[in-house]
Amino acid sequence: MPTAPRTTDELYQALKENDRRPYGRTRTVTAEELADAAEQFAEPVPLIHALLELQEAYNYGSEPRKSPVVFARLLTLFDEQPDVFDERLRHMLFWRFKWVGHALRQLPEIPLASLRQWLAEMRDRYEKAGLGLQPYYGQAYQLAAHVGEDTALAYELWAGRTRTRLSDCEACEICERALYHLAAGDDERALGTWEPVLAGKESCQEEPARSVSYALLPLLRTGRTDRARELHLAGYRGCRRNPSMSGEIGRHLEFCALTGNEARGLELLAENRSLFDDVDSPLDQLGFLTGVEVLLQRVEVLGHGELPAAGYAGRTWTVAGLRAEVRRRADDLAARFDTRNGTTAHTDRRRARLDRAPLLDALELTLRTRGLDDVAPAAPAAPAARAARAAAPAVCTAATVPESLPELITWARALDEQGHPDAAACWARLRTLVAAPDYTHPDDPAVGPLVRLRADLLADEASRAGEKDEFGEAAARYEEAARLYDEAGAPGHAALARACALLPAAEIPAERADGAEAKAAALTAAHAALVRLHEETPGLSPYQEARLLRLRATALGLRLQTSRNEEHIAPVFAEADLLLEFATRHDIAGQVSGALMLRASTYALSGDLPAAVTETDALLDRLKAHGPAWHLPRTLGLRGRIQLGLRDAQAAHADLTESLRLAADRPSDSAGTARLHGDLAQACLHLGRPDEALRHLTRSAELELRHGSRTDAFCTYSDAARLSLDLGRVEDCIALLDSLLAEPDVAAGEVDDRLVAQLRLTRARALHAGEDLKAATAEFAALAAESAGWADDPGSHAMIAAETAVLLAESGEFGRAREAADQALAAHARAPRYEQLSNCLRELARLQAQKQGSEGLADALACLADAGRIADEARAAGYEARGRSLDSALAYEHGRVNAYAREYETALAALDKALTLLGEPGPDEDPAGEWAECVRLAAAVEGLYLERPAPALARLDTAVSRLSALGHTEATEPLTSLAARLRDNG
């Protein structure tokens, strides 16, 4: 708090601002400071308000030890000066007797006798105040349930009584009744009781998040897996990182452990790592730690005890190590509660949770399904570790790897010469062997010296770096491999490695954003260098010479792909034909296939798609007859992409599906499986199968992530998130993005900031779609502040600031909304976004007029004036809106805004202008619907508010006739309904 309040008005304003903060340390510390500041005022009411805010912060900030202390002070003030407590303050005081009872139950150091004494105090106070005792009996039942006594009588004494104004809210009481049935083993009755809360009909500060966490396992046990999945996603989001809901988070972790989602459980544990230290309530700690232990126990049983896990601060943890620590602490907590209560209830309940068997082998909870093998470290890795992981290949093949070391080396080289995908497994095995401290290189002339093997491994690593677009790394490793080949006396291999280094080196200027022209020039120079190297290197073996020819053709193919210059087409065909002739003469099947594929790709790049199909058809026939078989998936994938270009989505889908089937037997990176899934997603979208497309997008992204192509993976996931949002799968979208944004390299700021901003923007839109306006507004406001610094991209800032303005207006913060809109207008001046800004300003005007009526009319009209200037600019620039006409939409909004402000004549004139601008309806559905809505509003203003029903009915009847004649029967329904209302009124 910058400065302490000096007046009561300043104190109340500070309390109001603090009330908008989320519960946690910041809000609690501020509440403590405000309570101290309130002591300076002579009148007690400001202090009462400050103490109430402080107790609330403690109650929902999981600090039960402090809540009763504050309440004791409030109770003393009430006893000394009861008259200063108005009806509202008195109600709050008596309500919070229950908060104190709840706080005392959470502290095992408080004797059971003291808890019962507090209940007696509550009953006595309620009776003296003439208040109903149902809340007291509710507290008595909760104490009995906590202790582990027979609850039947306590339940009946509470549940059978009529509710009072001081009873817990409907949602909380529903949860308690459901938990009673759950404890009795009646899942169906518990779920039936919970239904109003689970369906969102009843809610409060803690609900439905609390009920959802308890209902997850009963839902699974009764076969309602889809409902359990849906509620897990929404319910977890409602309690994540919240210290006062740590027990609920523990139950979500348990749910993950019992449904085959251990990897997601570890991810959620990492997200809530702070709870190990931030939860002050021993009872909440016990619930959280038991859920954590259920998860860690399951991970360890599955043989992954060595995985990193997020735990207590100050050291790194493995799953096994953290489990032991958690077990020790949780056992101690359970024993302390049981000692206080004189029962074994908490130990028994804890043991029941730990002994529970998995309920499902695998329930797909999120769009990002991962196993324990895919789990990332719990904290960002050191640079050296990241470099090591980048160099290591992804090994995912069942290839047969020879046991004998000499055989393994010669076999790896033979496969590599063929371009066989199984070479990857051999090189991976050799890399592990060579790295071992006790490695001894075989003394075998057929194998050659160790330096030759090290060169081979470097060349393989360079190839993989190039596949991940790590061009600088690839070029450097190839050059180092060439040096080692020279040292080993293998000049042909050295020349080939230097040739391979030229292509990634040519890609580096593009990394520095010098543009397509610079990249094309670099590739031209690379091709010239390849030709010189080829001419100057004698004694090459046929496979080495074929590889050089392939590199020459590839350089020109990449140049054509970059420049799209027609003059660059013929040279590619010439080089491809040289390669084809040489490979055919020497019977090098893999390079024959490569030459033919290059020809097909060149036809596709040049726009001759039918010729490209003909080439791929011929290549597929050859591959089926002569091999190599591992080229079939890539070739089918190429033909699938060409079919997409020809707009034959069905044929593309068939080719890509078959390609994936054939690729299943190959390493996914060598077969290009990630790209195949991405292409198949596009085919599915063209075929109107978005759910199938979503599955392929997420699969593509996860494969890219496994292969180390993290930027590509995040881009694909971003597409998947937007698609899931378009499909209305809001919780899926949010869960996916939360998972991505929690990735260590994202959290450490190592991923491109614009890409991360795109992920956050989609998440903010999903939060808005999910009606979490507070969270959505906060995220949009943060993004607007960040994007203000994007000097190279003012258009994006204009868009983000415009959306932020609308959300702020929806929250009723019109001053901040106008500030955000002004930011958007300033950015729009540098990079016009006519439609987005017009939509924003019209929506701001509508919201302000709707919420403030005539008082907000002036500000609303100012927004519309700005929207009018944007429409004028767009018209002058020749801009055509993709959606509604900016002019007609503006006239309509003038009508609606003036109607909200009860300026009905002005509203009607504006709506008539909008109808003139729209013109007569035609066969298209959307313009006809817009016209019909404009007619409806004009008739409502005219007939209902200006009380001129005759012209309004004439307007409606004419519109219904026109729309019916055009076949727009659905658009007539609101018009006929309004007409019937007007006739009834008449």
Side-chain angles (χ1 to χ4, degrees):
M1 191 168 61
T3 57
R6 288 168 295 183
T7 66
T8 55
D9 286 344
E10 289 181 359
L11 176 70
Y12 287 131
Q13 180 61 33
L15 288 170
K16 183 178 179 181
E17 291 173 0
N18 199 39
D19 187 56
R20 287 198 287 260
R21 292 189 175 99
Y23 295 107
R25 286 306 303 158
T26 301
R27 176 166 176 165
T28 299
V29 169
T30 304
E32 290 171 339
E33 292 172 347
L34 291 174
D36 288 340
E39 298 279 2
Q40 67 180 297
F41 302 114
E43 51 188 307
V45 174
L47 177 60
I48 292 169
H49 281 281
L51 290 172
L52 287 168
E53 161 62 23
L54 179 57
Q55 189 191 13
E56 181 177 340
Y58 287 146
N59 186 68
Y60 291 113
S62 190
E63 296 192 57
R65 289 181 173 85
K66 298 178 180 179
S67 174
V69 176
V70 177
F71 187 75
R73 180 81 190 280
L74 283 164
L75 204 55
T76 299
L77 286 169
F78 177 74
D79 290 339
E80 293 173 349
Q81 305 178 69
D83 293 342
V84 303
F85 284 76
D86 60 19
E87 182 58 32
R88 176 173 170 274
L89 292 177
R90 182 174 178 274
H91 177 85
M92 293 175 71
L93 179 81
F94 279 92
W95 181 277
R96 294 187 181 195
F97 273 89
K98 298 178 293 181
W99 284 13
V100 175
H102 175 69
L104 296 177
R105 289 195 300 274
Q106 295 183 72
L107 304 173
E109 64 267 28
I110 304 297
L112 185 59
S114 297
L115 270 68
R116 298 195 190 283
Q117 183 180 347
W118 176 252
L119 279 178
E121 172 80 5
M122 177 181 176
R123 177 171 186 150
D124 183 56
R125 292 270 188 172
Y126 270 53
E127 285 180 333
K128 287 181 179 177
L131 300 171
L133 292 181
Q134 196 262 10
Y136 158 77
Y137 282 107
Q139 286 292 299
Y141 162 70
Q142 290 177 38
L143 178 59
H146 168 80
V147 170
E149 300 170 338
D150 183 2
T151 56
L153 178 59
Y155 179 80
E156 290 303 324
L157 287 171
W158 161 61
R161 272 181 159 73
T162 303
R163 286 171 47 77
T164 74
R165 288 180 61 243
L166 287 167
S167 296
D168 285 343
C169 73
E170 288 279 7
C172 286
E173 290 206 343
I174 284 170
C175 184
E176 291 298 335
R177 289 197 294 272
L179 289 175
Y180 176 78
H181 299 311
L182 189 64
D186 194 340
D187 285 348
E188 287 290 356
R189 190 171 182 185
L191 291 170
T193 303
W194 258 318
E195 185 53 33
V197 175
L198 300 183
K201 296 176 183 176
E202 299 288 347
S203 63
C204 69
Q205 177 69 35
E206 297 173 333
E207 296 290 352
R210 180 167 178 253
S211 290
V212 164
S213 72
Y214 280 110
L216 294 173
L217 299 188
L219 286 167
L220 291 180
R221 289 194 292 261
T222 56
R224 300 171 172 91
T225 54
D226 287 344
R227 188 82 187 282
R229 174 188 180 278
E230 169 193 335
L231 289 174
H232 163 67
L233 294 179
Y236 170 71
R237 184 164 59 84
C239 59
R240 64 199 287 256
R241 300 175 185 165
N242 185 343
S244 69
M245 306 203 83
S246 55
E248 284 76 0
I249 292 166
R251 287 185 284 278
H252 281 280
L253 297 178
E254 180 178 0
F255 174 75
C256 290
L258 300 180
T259 56
N261 286 278
E262 298 84 5
R264 173 167 169 80
L266 290 177
E267 183 180 291
L268 301 190
L269 178 60
E271 187 175 20
N272 292 279
R273 182 176 198 162
S274 62
L275 299 187
F276 283 105
D277 303 302
D278 289 352
V279 178
D280 190 51
S281 160
L283 188 60
D284 287 348
Q285 283 181 26
L286 177 59
F288 173 64
L289 293 178
T290 301
V292 171
E293 188 178 350
V294 171
L295 170 67
L296 298 176
Q297 173 179 272
R298 181 64 185 157
V299 174
E300 194 169 359
V301 165
L302 293 172
H304 292 275
E306 81 292 344
L307 280 176
Y312 294 95
R315 60 165 286 188
T316 57
W317 296 93
T318 64
V319 165
L322 181 60
R323 180 192 172 198
E325 179 67 17
V326 165
R327 180 172 60 241
R328 181 185 66 79
R329 297 191 187 213
D331 282 346
D332 177 66
L333 284 169
R336 289 174 61 198
F337 277 108
D338 286 344
T339 299
R340 189 269 298 276
N341 297 336
T343 65
T344 61
H346 288 277
T347 297
D348 294 342
R349 291 167 189 165
R350 178 171 146 70
R351 178 50 50 197
R353 290 177 70 181
L354 290 167
D355 289 346
R356 191 173 281 135
L359 297 174
L360 291 173
D361 290 335
L363 172 63
E364 188 173 314
L365 288 182
T366 69
L367 295 173
R368 192 184 181 197
T369 303
R370 300 194 297 165
L372 290 170
D373 291 333
D374 303 315
V375 172
R386 288 194 299 272
R389 284 202 306 272
V395 182
C396 44
T397 146
T400 302
V401 178
E403 291 294 329
S404 163
L405 183 56
E407 288 181 14
L408 177 58
I409 296 172
T410 55
W411 183 239
R413 288 169 178 165
L415 292 177
D416 196 64
E417 286 185 13
Q418 300 172 42
H420 198 294
D422 287 351
C426 296
W427 291 130
R429 175 64 179 151
L430 283 166
R431 187 171 288 105
T432 302
L433 293 173
V434 171
D438 59 349
Y439 175 76
T440 301
H441 192 69
D443 185 11
D444 186 339
V447 169
L450 176 58
V451 69
R452 163 74 193 278
L453 179 56
R454 293 193 185 281
D456 292 337
L457 294 174
L458 269 173
D460 177 64
E461 292 169 12
S463 173
R464 293 180 176 281
E467 289 170 3
K468 299 173 189 176
D469 293 343
E470 296 170 358
F471 301 121
E473 186 70 23
R477 287 177 185 259
Y478 275 128
E479 290 290 355
E480 178 62 14
R483 187 186 66 77
L484 294 181
Y485 279 129
D486 280 333
E487 187 178 332
H493 287 87
L496 188 56
R498 289 192 177 90
C500 289
L502 290 168
L503 285 187
E507 299 269 15
I508 294 173
E511 282 187 329
R512 293 196 284 264
D514 291 335
E517 187 175 340
K519 182 178 175 181
L523 288 165
T524 300
H527 175 262
L530 284 165
V531 172
R532 284 195 303 273
L533 185 62
H534 190 183
E535 293 171 347
E536 295 169 0
T537 307
L540 291 170
S541 66
Y543 107 85
Q544 291 171 338
E545 191 160 357
R547 286 279 300 276
L548 269 169
L549 286 168
R550 176 74 171 272
L551 287 167
R552 287 167 52 172
T554 301
L556 294 183
L558 288 171
R559 184 181 68 174
L560 173 61
Q561 186 177 347
T562 301
S563 69
R564 303 293 172 137
N565 187 331
E566 289 187 6
E567 295 179 0
H568 293 162
I569 296 172
V572 184
F573 280 120
E575 286 284 15
D577 290 342
L578 275 177
L579 171 61
L580 180 60
E581 185 276 329
F582 182 89
T584 302
R585 176 155 42 90
H586 291 278
D587 194 23
I588 306 174
Q591 296 296 3
V592 171
S593 168
L596 293 172
M597 186 176 289
L598 189 57
R599 285 179 55 83
S601 300
T602 304
Y603 276 121
L605 286 170
S606 66
D608 192 347
L609 298 183
V613 171
T614 301
E615 288 279 339
T616 52
D617 288 345
L619 175 53
L620 285 167
D621 289 341
R622 176 184 172 81
L623 290 173
K624 290 170 185 175
H626 305 289
W630 61 86
H631 281 201
L632 278 169
R634 285 187 181 275
T635 307
L636 281 166
L638 174 60
R639 190 169 71 175
R641 289 191 292 278
I642 295 168
Q643 298 288 11
L644 279 175
L646 289 168
R647 300 186 180 181
D648 189 344
Q650 194 64 56
H653 188 277
D655 278 342
L656 293 164
T657 301
E658 177 64 7
S659 177
L660 275 176
R661 187 188 69 79
L662 295 172
D665 297 329
R666 303 289 173 194
S668 57
D669 51 346
S670 69
T673 310
R675 181 171 185 180
L676 292 174
H677 279 288
D679 292 335
L680 194 50
Q682 297 304 312
C684 291
L685 287 173
H686 286 298
L687 292 171
R689 288 144 67 171
D691 288 302
E692 185 181 344
L694 186 58
R695 288 196 299 274
H696 286 296
L697 279 175
T698 54
R699 180 61 178 157
S700 174
E702 198 60 38
L703 287 170
E704 287 167 338
L705 209 56
R706 289 179 189 177
H707 299 150
S709 302
R710 298 188 69 79
T711 299
D712 291 340
F714 287 133
C715 288
T716 305
Y717 269 132
S718 179
D719 292 340
R722 288 197 295 271
L723 177 56
S724 64
L725 184 56
D726 290 343
L727 292 172
R729 296 173 61 173
V730 173
E731 295 299 339
D732 279 323
C733 176
I734 295 171
L736 171 61
L737 291 166
D738 283 344
S739 176
L740 295 174
L741 292 168
E743 283 285 321
D745 51 353
V746 176
E750 297 168 2
V751 177
D752 180 75
D753 62 338
R754 305 300 170 85
L755 177 52
V756 173
Q758 179 59 63
L759 296 174
R760 291 172 57 200
L761 180 61
T762 304
R763 182 178 182 274
R765 288 168 175 162
L767 289 168
H768 188 210
E771 299 181 354
D772 192 343
L773 184 59
K774 185 176 181 180
T777 304
E779 186 67 275
F780 263 112
L783 282 167
E786 290 177 25
S787 61
W790 296 352
D792 60 329
D793 190 9
S796 291
H797 175 57
M799 176 191 68
I800 293 170
E803 289 191 60
T804 303
V806 172
L807 264 69
L808 287 167
E810 287 182 14
S811 302
E813 298 188 54
F814 293 108
R816 290 180 64 198
R818 183 67 232 198
E819 289 174 6
D822 288 340
Q823 287 184 32
L825 285 167
H828 160 81
R830 291 183 288 149
R833 294 292 186 272
Y834 301 110
E835 201 157 0
Q836 290 95 329
L837 265 293
S838 176
N839 292 344
C840 161
L841 291 162
R842 296 196 318 267
E843 184 66 2
L844 289 189
R846 181 192 71 80
L847 288 166
Q848 190 148 18
Q850 183 181 35
K851 293 187 178 185
Q852 296 182 340
S854 58
E855 290 182 6
L857 180 59
D859 288 338
L861 291 177
C863 288
L864 293 181
D866 286 335
R869 283 190 287 275
I870 287 174
D872 293 341
E873 293 170 12
R875 199 181 313 107
Y879 175 82
E880 291 188 15
R882 288 173 294 179
R884 301 166 64 191
S885 157
L886 300 188
D887 291 310
S888 62
L890 179 61
Y892 172 81
E893 211 58 68
H894 267 288
R896 187 156 56 166
V897 162
N898 278 285
Y900 282 134
R902 300 185 179 184
E903 298 289 338
Y904 298 122
E905 290 290 0
T906 306
L908 184 60
L911 292 166
D912 282 334
K913 178 182 178 182
L915 287 166
T916 301
L917 291 169
L918 285 169
E920 292 297 315
D924 291 341
E925 188 173 332
D926 289 343
E930 184 182 353
W931 183 84
E933 165 56 21
C934 200
V935 170
R936 185 203 64 77
L937 184 55
V941 169
E942 191 170 29
L944 296 176
Y945 300 112
L946 291 174
E947 298 181 351
R948 300 202 289 261
L953 283 168
R955 183 193 295 269
L956 289 168
D957 292 341
T958 301
V960 168
S961 297
R962 288 176 182 168
L963 291 168
S964 298
L966 292 166
H968 300 304
T969 53
E970 188 175 339
T972 66
E973 293 174 6
L975 305 185
T976 54
S977 175
L978 177 59
R981 180 181 172 188
L982 287 171
R983 289 189 172 95
D984 290 342
N985 290 346

